[in-house]
Amino acid sequence: GSYANWDISTRKVATENGYYTYYGADGPNGISVNTQAVQELNMVLAGISNQFDTMYLYELNDEDAYFAGNPMEATFGLFRQNNTGKPITHALHFLSQLLFDGVNPDVSTSPANITFGLSGLPSSCKYLTFKKSSQDNYNIVIWNNIPRWDPVSLTEIAAPSPVTVTLSFGSGVVYSNISVYDIYTDPASVGSGGVLGPIKSVRNGSGISFNVAEKAVVINFQGRVSGVSTSASRSVGASTVGSPSAGVSPAVNGTSSAPSSSGDNSQSSQNSNAPQ
């Protein structure tokens, strides 16, 4: 039957999700590997937001040999035929590294004892909150649901100018560490340990400002050291709403919270970005 008539308890599973990275006159629906990295990760986040139980990405490797003469079918892989990763593999790896600490993060219930605002967040953006297993350790993942590929010219659409967004918490709430991460960082710049570092951090702050453009951004905050807060919300410009305009996880909802200061003791570090 139609999707709208499914019982709410129906387990939702999405199979063979992906984009092929061959494009040309005989492959008009293909996209570049950089566009794949943005759109495929956005698709995964949208699936989580819409409470899909499982999503399967098609497929692990390109299959140039198997699909000889059919480059469209051969290039759905997260990895190339020679096992080198496309940009999407690195983005998924770093996202998993940030969200997972041995226990699946909680995205199904409202985070306890937090209130936050996101001032200046573009209306095209969505977000989810992931609570890690350790107390007072959260990640907010923001992605921009905008077109990234022109199927007529077969070129990437120019990225929008970065917009400054400010994350702020309830009155008197201070976290010992607030950090912003670029999961599209070139893995060659990460170092031998392979642990992604932040591009900006605030110590003992009540918020942080960062840029949002076409790619997903991850903000981690942990170790609340003062204040009491009870729910989660989003501020857009001067107004505050209890949930994003579309596709919000039950992990993000609640009462309003006006933005406060962006904190202090800001520290920044620089990572090389993957090709745009």
Side-chain angles (χ1 to χ4, degrees):
S2 68
Y3 181 84
N5 293 328
W6 285 6
D7 184 88
I8 193 65
S9 63
T10 301
R11 182 188 179 199
K12 294 184 287 187
V13 176
T15 63
E16 296 196 7
N17 301 278
Y19 296 90
Y20 59 83
T21 55
Y22 171 84
Y23 55 93
D26 57 342
N29 295 315
I31 59 177
S32 69
V33 293
N34 293 323
T35 304
Q36 178 200 35
V38 175
Q39 292 191 176
E40 196 151 330
L41 189 136
N42 287 1
M43 176 181 63
V44 170
L45 292 168
I48 297 172
S49 177
N50 285 285
Q51 300 179 357
F52 274 79
D53 182 80
T54 304
M55 295 185 68
Y56 293 93
L57 298 181
Y58 183 83
E59 60 185 327
L60 184 61
N61 281 77
D62 285 349
E63 297 188 82
D64 300 347
Y66 186 79
F67 288 107
N70 186 353
M72 292 179 288
E73 190 67 33
T75 56
F76 276 96
L78 304 177
F79 291 83
R80 299 177 181 87
Q81 179 74 37
N82 64 2
N83 294 324
T84 59
K86 298 179 185 178
I88 179 62
T89 64
H90 309 310
L92 289 170
H93 169 72
F94 288 135
L95 180 63
S96 299
Q97 187 182 86
L98 291 169
L99 299 185
F100 187 72
D101 60 358
V103 178
N104 287 332
D106 181 8
V107 292
S108 61
T109 60
S110 299
N113 301 320
I114 67 167
T115 297
F116 64 83
L118 288 168
S119 179
L121 190 67
S123 60
S124 56
C125 287
K126 321 290 183 189
Y127 69 89
L128 289 168
T129 302
F130 297 80
K131 184 185 184 304
K132 301 183 80 169
S133 61
S134 55
Q135 187 174 2
D136 290 335
N137 192 333
Y138 299 87
N139 287 292
I140 299 174
V141 182
I142 298 172
W143 71 100
N144 203 347
N145 190 31
I146 56 174
R148 290 290 296 120
W149 184 257
D150 185 336
V152 177
S153 64
L154 301 179
T155 57
E156 297 175 11
I157 296 174
S161 298
V163 174
T164 299
V165 176
T166 299
L167 168 67
S168 55
F169 301 103
S171 177
V173 175
V174 172
Y175 283 88
S176 62
N177 185 76
I178 311 169
S179 296
V180 180
Y181 292 87
D182 176 11
I183 57 175
Y184 290 94
T185 295
D186 182 349
S189 70
V190 172
S192 59
V195 178
L196 182 66
I199 58 174
K200 183 178 183 181
S201 292
V202 167
R203 304 285 186 257
N204 297 321
S206 59
I208 195 169
S209 294
F210 52 92
N211 288 334
V212 172
E214 82 281 15
K215 297 178 179 178
V217 178
V218 180
I219 308 95
N220 174 268
F221 55 98
Q222 57 183 289
R224 192 171 67 215
V225 295
S226 65
V228 176
S229 179
T230 57
S231 58
S233 66
R234 176 180 86 157
S235 297
V236 182
S239 63
T240 302
V241 291
S243 61
S245 55
V248 62
S249 160
V252 185
N253 53 44
T255 58
S256 64
S257 169
S260 58
S261 70
S262 59
D264 52 16
N265 301 325
S266 178
Q267 301 176 352
S268 298
S269 59
Q270 188 65 43
N271 282 317
S272 300
N273 292 328
Q276 301 297 311

